[in-house]
Amino acid sequence: MNPIAMSTLKVIRANLVNLVGVSGDRVFLAGGCVRDVAAGLEPKDYDCIILDDKAYPWDDAAAFALAERIARDYRELGASVAIYQAYGHAASSDAHDLTGRTRDFDDNIWCGIHVQFGDDTPYDILLSRHADIDSVMDSFDCNWNQQYIGDKWHLYWRGKNELVFTGKPLRDGREDYIRNKYNEVFNVHNSTGS
């Protein structure tokens, strides 16, 4: 499969803006899909971040009402859709707080909508608890995943940069997964011989 172009990713984001029905300056593609496209890889999914409204911040009822409307609209277009609240047991115990919530999700996201059209690459539409993209990016686990495309603003790598982890709690095996993928993409060889 041929990797998609960054311009195609921008078109996907514009289509999402039309479907989710919120102001375009609040809708971003972020994380792995932008990272992978910038690196010339095919993304495994598309993470769409919808920022909270600065003027009228969401509460649980407002966020889930929006999620239900988005889910309904995608179902009417023939997609398989599921609304979810957290990543759940996928995160290791050190990524949970004392209430059992996953900190990397629950503290940053109201809820998510998983959208799948047949065998096409799926979408996860995430309703953020943050009203600005910088706060969203601060919650990501490493600088390689802190890439995004928005209406007027974007941040993506045009080549290799040093890989830096942010110190956020990671799911078991996540750091190794990211390092291995980074090393493969940028042909980095381990100088220790291991």
Side-chain angles (χ1 to χ4, degrees):
M1 184 178 288
N2 294 326
I4 67 171
M6 192 60 72
S7 59
T8 302
L9 202 59
K10 292 176 182 179
V11 169
I12 290 169
R13 192 206 70 83
N15 290 337
L16 282 164
V17 169
N18 290 331
L19 285 169
V20 299
V22 300
S23 174
D25 62 345
R26 292 174 50 205
V27 179
F28 291 81
L29 286 178
C33 65
V34 180
R35 173 202 67 208
D36 289 349
V37 170
L41 304 171
E42 187 74 23
K44 67 176 180 56
D45 63 7
Y46 298 101
D47 285 341
C48 172
I49 305 289
I50 301 177
L51 299 177
D52 204 343
D53 192 325
K54 289 180 184 177
Y56 303 100
W58 292 322
D59 57 16
D60 282 328
F64 280 92
L66 176 59
E68 287 173 355
R69 190 208 27 92
I70 292 170
R72 183 190 66 238
D73 291 349
Y74 272 103
R75 279 190 197 99
E76 289 176 2
L77 294 171
S80 170
V81 180
I83 297 174
Y84 57 92
Q85 219 170 343
Y87 288 131
H89 64 276
S92 65
S93 60
D94 63 350
H96 291 75
D97 66 15
L98 295 176
T99 67
R101 296 183 336 158
T102 51
R103 290 192 301 254
D104 66 339
F105 188 92
D106 294 347
D107 290 348
N108 297 296
I109 303 295
W110 287 100
C111 62
I113 306 117
H114 183 77
V115 178
Q116 178 80 46
F117 287 99
D119 293 333
D120 290 347
T121 305
Y123 295 82
D124 281 305
I125 301 170
L126 307 170
L127 282 75
S128 178
R129 291 181 182 268
H130 303 288
D132 64 278
I133 193 62
D134 290 332
S135 294
V136 173
M137 291 297 102
D138 285 346
S139 71
F140 281 44
D141 53 16
C142 72
N143 63 336
W144 198 31
N145 289 330
Q146 292 175 325
Q147 300 184 60
Y148 61 86
I149 294 176
D151 189 28
K152 298 176 184 172
W153 306 101
H154 65 269
L155 173 67
Y156 53 86
W157 294 11
R158 296 184 184 272
K160 180 183 171 191
N161 290 289
E162 179 184 359
L163 178 63
V164 177
F165 287 86
T166 61
K168 305 294 182 202
L170 297 171
R171 296 184 298 275
D172 288 337
R174 176 79 174 157
E175 183 172 346
D176 288 339
Y177 168 78
I178 292 170
R179 283 190 191 284
N180 290 338
K181 186 168 186 168
Y182 173 89
N183 290 343
E184 182 181 322
V185 166
F186 294 109
N187 295 314
V188 176
H189 301 293
N190 188 342
S191 61
T192 63
S194 44

